[in-house]
Amino acid sequence: MGNVVIDLTKHPDLIVRQEVEHFEAFTRLETKNRYSVSTSEGDRLLFAYEQSGSLSRMLLKKRRPLSIHVIDSENSPVLTASRPFFWFLSHLHVQDGDGQVVGSIRRRFNILNRRFTMEDPIGTVLAEVRGPLLRPNTFRVFKQDEEIARVTKQWSGIGREAFTDADTFRISMNTSKINQDFALLMLASALAIDLDFFEK
């Protein structure tokens, strides 16, 4: 019997907030990322934490291999997103709380846009994430040329922005167009965007 998890399709807006690491803020040494996932009203739904090696964080920076585990308030697994070391284009593999492969978030080469594809377990493209260079904080998600979701980096305040790399993202989804697996991929895409573009 699988884990009973929060139905993310009931939440058209999710706030993914990276937790401030005070040690990192003062030393500039990269620490493990931690995130909270809340509703737009501020109700905390999930917690996420990175699993990686300290040497890889120090030497490989954002190219490091890692896993991010997402759990609910009962410490039950909801999602695991993992990637190997990469040189140029990241590839984040996503499993649900039961360990079943949901799909992946694959970075694509593009000169004019920051681009990912969201893929199912066999590599079929489900949607495309596009981040125009002239709108650096907005990533729109298209399925067959229809925008069904977006990830937007939010202003976190002068203290967080100036002295930490603790970012905040809003995930907005047309919940009538998605299922739970796609919502999990949306959550993973926000993590991929943070890791690839906003981790200093």
Side-chain angles (χ1 to χ4, degrees):
M1 185 173 178
N3 293 312
V4 177
V5 299
I6 294 169
D7 184 359
L8 296 181
T9 66
K10 295 183 183 298
H11 302 283
D13 291 285
L14 295 171
I15 306 300
V16 180
R17 186 184 304 274
Q18 188 174 359
E19 302 295 325
V20 174
E21 294 288 353
H22 297 289
F23 179 77
E24 180 178 333
F26 286 104
T27 65
R28 294 300 182 187
L29 295 175
E30 187 67 39
T31 57
K32 296 178 183 178
N33 289 318
R34 297 182 300 129
Y35 304 86
S36 63
V37 182
S38 307
T39 66
S40 56
E41 292 79 27
D43 299 321
R44 183 170 294 194
L45 299 175
L46 303 169
F47 179 76
Y49 62 94
E50 176 186 340
Q51 187 174 34
S52 62
S54 56
L55 269 181
S56 66
R57 291 195 304 277
M58 184 170 59
L59 299 177
L60 301 178
K61 306 292 185 182
K62 69 178 184 178
R63 295 181 175 85
R64 67 190 181 275
L66 57 78
S67 294
I68 295 182
H69 302 275
V70 181
I71 57 176
D72 64 16
S73 60
E74 305 296 322
N75 288 326
S76 297
V78 174
L79 176 154
T80 300
S82 59
R83 71 179 190 196
F85 166 78
F86 66 96
W87 279 111
F88 301 111
L89 301 175
S90 63
H91 189 188
L92 195 66
H93 303 271
V94 183
Q95 296 178 320
D96 66 15
D98 294 321
Q100 299 297 311
V101 177
V102 173
S104 64
I105 311 297
R106 187 189 296 268
R107 177 89 178 272
R108 296 292 185 176
F109 176 75
N110 193 288
I111 295 175
L112 299 178
N113 290 283
R114 294 159 300 161
R115 182 169 166 255
F116 294 91
T117 50
M118 302 172 68
E119 302 176 359
D120 71 8
I122 62 172
T124 303
V125 174
L126 301 172
E128 187 175 287
V129 183
R130 304 172 192 165
L133 291 178
L134 296 180
R135 297 183 66 187
N137 291 344
T138 302
F139 295 79
R140 302 167 69 192
V141 181
F142 291 89
K143 188 172 185 178
Q144 298 175 343
D145 292 325
E146 178 187 5
E147 183 178 343
I148 60 170
R150 67 173 54 191
V151 178
T152 309
K153 182 181 181 297
Q154 308 285 288
W155 172 252
S156 300
I158 186 64
R160 289 171 66 99
E161 295 283 344
F163 300 108
T164 78
D165 61 1
D167 298 309
T168 301
F169 298 87
R170 176 183 290 269
I171 303 172
S172 301
M173 301 179 284
N174 183 343
T175 53
S176 67
K177 303 278 187 179
I178 66 171
N179 58 20
Q180 175 75 353
D181 283 356
F182 195 91
L184 290 174
L185 287 174
M186 280 301 307
L187 179 53
S189 72
L191 300 174
I193 288 167
D194 183 45
L195 293 167
D196 274 28
F197 299 118
F198 295 103
E199 191 166 84
K200 302 179 184 66

